[in-house]
Amino acid sequence: MANEDKVLIFDTTLRDGEQSPGVALNVEEKLEIARALERMKVDIIEAGFPASSPGDLESVTAIAKEVCGSVIAGLARAVPNDVDACWEAVQHAERPRIHVFLSSSDIHIMHQLEKDKERVLEMAREMVARAKKYCDDVEFSPMDATRSVPEFVYRMLTEVIEAGATTVNIPDTVGYAIPEEFGQLIRDIKANVPNIDKARISVHCHNDLGLAVANSLTAVQNGARQVEVCVNGIGERAGNAALEEVVLSIK
């Protein structure tokens, strides 16, 4: 990877941050926040989840057209409609990214996806390949990675990198990891995913135990080179790793 000691800052205030209780931003407010993030020189702005609503599609499109300094990413589930909607919105960006996610934990696969593991791997591969046809910059997240069988995560990551993912993001979706075990997971991914040198490792931590920043920093010490953050640590439930805490700690 180019410049592999640079830690990229991926801000998801406009996507995961909007999951905060009581937060609902209109297009103009989202544009204002995106402009501020661009002024701060955030590397990647996750502008929204285009398939989730017409409003989100509109706001991600507006940000992609106007904000030039940062990579503009959109989130997509591993289904064709989401990937297509995501590209429809981010294609206007100077540097677009499609971020595909799919659950990897047994509990999610059983109760949320209701599919067998081979079919889940196939969905991951196919949708990363679909995104790659649109756009060179593709990120993939095995959702709930910290509660997944590690060998299944290694296999999923190997296959999505083969299909074209250039960033693989390890989410602590339920905010329940502790730094020692999260650092070990990043080390194990580096040791057990044979083509990991072809992708950048990213992390996305939630703050349910107050450890989102600690987990993110431990991951960086163990080889992660992108950290997903929100301004003031806002986000779903207890929030995400705080942008300002992560940035200043690394500095």
Side-chain angles (χ1 to χ4, degrees), residues 149-218:
V149 176
E151 288 70 23
F152 186 66
V153 174
Y154 309 151
R155 192 173 159 205
M156 192 179 248
L157 294 178
T158 303
E159 296 196 9
V160 296
I161 293 168
E162 215 166 89
T166 46
T167 301
V168 289
N169 175 58
I170 311 306
D172 181 26
T173 302
V174 294
Y176 229 68
I178 59 172
E180 189 180 348
E181 68 186 23
F182 197 59
Q184 184 66 52
L185 176 60
I186 302 303
R187 284 200 299 280
D188 290 344
I189 284 167
K190 288 184 74 173
N192 292 287
V193 176
N195 52 1
I196 196 68
D197 58 315
K198 294 189 172 72
R200 184 181 297 273
I201 300 175
S202 168
V203 290
H204 177 107
C205 297
H206 281 271
N207 208 33
D208 300 70
L209 296 181
L211 294 169
V213 170
N215 284 331
S216 300
L217 295 174
T218 304

Side-chain angles (χ1 to χ4, degrees), residues 124-136:
R125 280 196 310 272
E126 285 176 357
M127 290 307 113
V128 166
R130 189 182 188 96
K132 192 71 174 184
K133 282 184 184 155
Y134 289 131
C135 169
D136 276 341

Side-chain angles (χ1 to χ4, degrees), residues 102-169:
L102 182 62
S103 291
S104 58
S105 67
D106 288 354
I107 192 167
H108 277 200
I109 289 170
M110 195 185 304
H111 298 292
Q112 190 184 67
L113 300 175
E114 297 177 346
K115 291 184 169 56
D116 67 60
K117 285 186 164 182
E118 290 305 319
R119 178 65 190 121
V120 170
L121 287 170
E122 192 184 333
M123 288 166 68
R125 280 196 310 272
E126 285 176 357
M127 290 307 113
V128 166
R130 189 182 188 96
K132 192 71 174 184
K133 282 184 184 155
Y134 289 131
C135 169
D136 276 341
D137 189 351
V138 178
E139 176 169 337
F140 178 81
S141 292
M143 188 163 75
D144 209 19
T146 48
R147 294 194 301 171
S148 302
V149 176
E151 288 70 23
F152 186 66
V153 174
Y154 309 151
R155 192 173 159 205
M156 192 179 248
L157 294 178
T158 303
E159 296 196 9
V160 296
I161 293 168
E162 215 166 89
T166 46
T167 301
V168 289
N169 175 58

